[in-house]
Structures are given as C-alpha cells and as structure tokens.
C-alpha cells in the first residue's frame, strides 16, 4: 500500500495502480482491518481519478465510503472520500448526485 501511494505521488500511475490493486486483493484475503482496507481503496481511487478513469474511481470511492461508514471511520476521512467521489461524479456529468455529495461533504466539514 505504501509503495503504491509513493508511486502515485511520483505520478507513476500505471505502477501505482497495479500495486494498489494487489494490496486491496491481499487485504481481502488476509482479513485486514476495515480501516486499513478503506485507506488502500481510497489511494487506489485517487490513482484512478488522477488518470481520469472517473468511472472506476467512482466505484472505488463508493466502496471506500461504504467501509468507512460501516467501520465508523472519522468524519474527516469520510468527508474527504465524499469530496473525491463528488469530483468523479461531476466529471461524468452526474451533476445532481455530485451536488448531493458536495453538500454532504460540506455538512460534515462545517460540523466537524
């Protein structure tokens, strides 16, 4: 996971995506904590978003948000995931859903 994120930070997106996908798969098979899995999935979503693979990034952020909500991850983390999901929705011209997600993000950010 850390290597995949490091590669993403260096804009080595193909390598990063591959590493992060492997990390998500491994974490599923070894029953990693929900928070750790959500973090890895979030980084994969970021990698996909930065490559403008918005449909794939959307799905990854949705899965991340579902885990974060179920695992009671911090509101700040959920808000960040919501914001990135909203950006992906906006890029796909899913404006109503993007607006809803931006509003939920703003609500969390202003109350946290």
């Amino acid at each position: 996971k850390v290597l995949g994120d490091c590669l993403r930070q260096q804009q080595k997106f193909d390598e990063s995506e591959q590493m992060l996908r492997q990390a998500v798969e491994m974490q599923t098979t070894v029953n990693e904590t929900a928070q750790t899995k959500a973090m890895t999935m979030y980084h994969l979503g970021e990698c996909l978003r930065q490559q403008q693979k918005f449909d794939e990034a959307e799905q990854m952020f949705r899965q991340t948000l579902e885990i974060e909500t179920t695992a009671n991850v911090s509101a700040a983390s959920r808000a960040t995931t919501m914001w990135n999901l909203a950006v992906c929705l906006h890029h796909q011209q899913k404006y109503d859903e993007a607006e809803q997600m931006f509003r939920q993000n703003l609500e969390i950010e202003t109350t946290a």
Side-chain angles (χ1 to χ4, degrees), residues 16-25 44 48 56 60:
S16 173
E17 181 181 343
Q18 181 182 3
M19 285 290 178
L20 289 165
R21 285 187 190 279
Q22 288 175 359
V24 168
E25 189 174 313
L44 177 54
L48 293 166
E56 290 180 76
M60 197 54 54

Side-chain angles (χ1 to χ4, degrees), residues 4 14 24 31 36 62-63 65 70 78 81 84 86 95 103 109-110:
D14 291 338
V24 168
N31 292 326
T36 300
R62 285 187 189 282
Q63 290 175 35
L65 190 56
T70 304
R78 287 194 321 273
T81 302
N84 281 291
Y95 299 121
R103 288 183 185 279
E109 297 248 341
T110 56

Side-chain angles (χ1 to χ4, degrees), residues 3 16 20-21 30 40 58 63 74 99 103 107 111:
L3 176 58
S16 173
L20 289 165
R21 285 187 190 279
V30 297
T40 304
E58 173 192 346
Q63 290 175 35
S74 74
E99 177 186 355
R103 288 183 185 279
E107 185 177 322
T111 58

Side-chain angles (χ1 to χ4, degrees), residues 45-47 51 64 89 92 96:
E46 273 286 280
C47 181
Q51 295 177 82
T64 302
L89 293 166
Q92 295 175 84
D96 290 340

Side-chain angles (χ1 to χ4, degrees), residues 18-78:
Q18 181 182 3
M19 285 290 178
L20 289 165
R21 285 187 190 279
Q22 288 175 359
V24 168
E25 189 174 313
M26 283 179 20
Q27 288 171 348
T28 301
T29 60
V30 297
N31 292 326
E32 200 54 70
T33 66
Q35 192 166 11
T36 300
K37 185 175 179 184
M39 186 181 307
T40 304
M41 294 173 79
Y42 172 84
H43 288 301
L44 177 54
E46 273 286 280
C47 181
L48 293 166
R49 184 182 63 79
Q50 288 175 320
Q51 295 177 82
Q52 299 184 359
K53 296 180 179 180
F54 298 116
D55 56 335
E56 290 180 76
E58 173 192 346
Q59 295 309 312
M60 197 54 54
F61 287 129
R62 285 187 189 282
Q63 290 175 35
T64 302
L65 190 56
E66 184 177 320
I67 292 170
E68 289 175 338
T69 301
T70 304
N72 204 24
V73 173
S74 74
S77 291
R78 287 194 321 273

